[in-house]
Amino acid sequence: MHTSTVKILGAKAVDFKPDDKSGRHYDHVALYCEIPMDLSTGMAIGNGCETFNWQDSSNMALLRQFKQSDFPITADITFDMVTTGKAMKYVVVGVKLPIPPKAVA
């Protein structure tokens, strides 16, 4: 497992079952994260945005503690690597969010 500190630019809950009789169930929070570009080739500079799936959509409640104006937020995300046999991908296994700002009364 690997932990990285990233900026979460935004998030979207996904929870649906397609009508294709496949039995699949998509249930996660898509985290849109700012990630540094690969500078090793000299063909890129700056940052990009990568989407990581954080299981399951109920995790959105943790992000709703923040307001729109709080974003981007910096979080520590723990990843695990998995493979299909052809391609490797990162799976989010944990997210350590900052303490949400207190609401001003």
Side-chain angles (χ1 to χ4, degrees):
M1 282 193 240
H2 174 75
T3 301
S4 291
T5 300
V6 300
K7 277 187 189 175
I8 299 175
L9 304 174
K12 180 179 178 181
V14 176
D15 186 6
F16 76 96
K17 295 178 184 177
D19 293 333
D20 62 3
K21 302 196 188 315
S22 65
R24 289 180 285 193
H25 182 193
Y26 299 92
D27 185 16
H28 61 270
V29 174
L31 298 173
Y32 299 92
C33 299
E34 181 180 277
I35 304 294
M37 299 295 284
D38 178 4
L39 307 179
S40 64
T41 64
M43 300 299 288
I45 191 165
N47 298 297
C49 182
E50 196 66 40
T51 305
F52 298 105
N53 293 340
W54 180 22
Q55 306 299 328
D56 59 66
S57 61
S58 66
N59 286 321
M60 194 66 183
L62 298 171
L63 291 163
R64 286 194 181 104
Q65 300 174 75
F66 298 91
K67 298 185 301 284
Q68 177 72 20
S69 59
D70 295 331
F71 284 84
I73 58 175
T74 302
D76 291 328
I77 299 181
T78 303
F79 299 95
D80 202 1
M81 291 185 299
V82 297
T83 184
T84 63
K86 291 185 179 185
M88 188 271 306
K89 70 176 184 175
Y90 290 100
V91 175
V92 175
V93 294
V95 177
K96 184 177 179 190
L97 297 168
I99 296 171
K102 298 258 187 217
V104 178

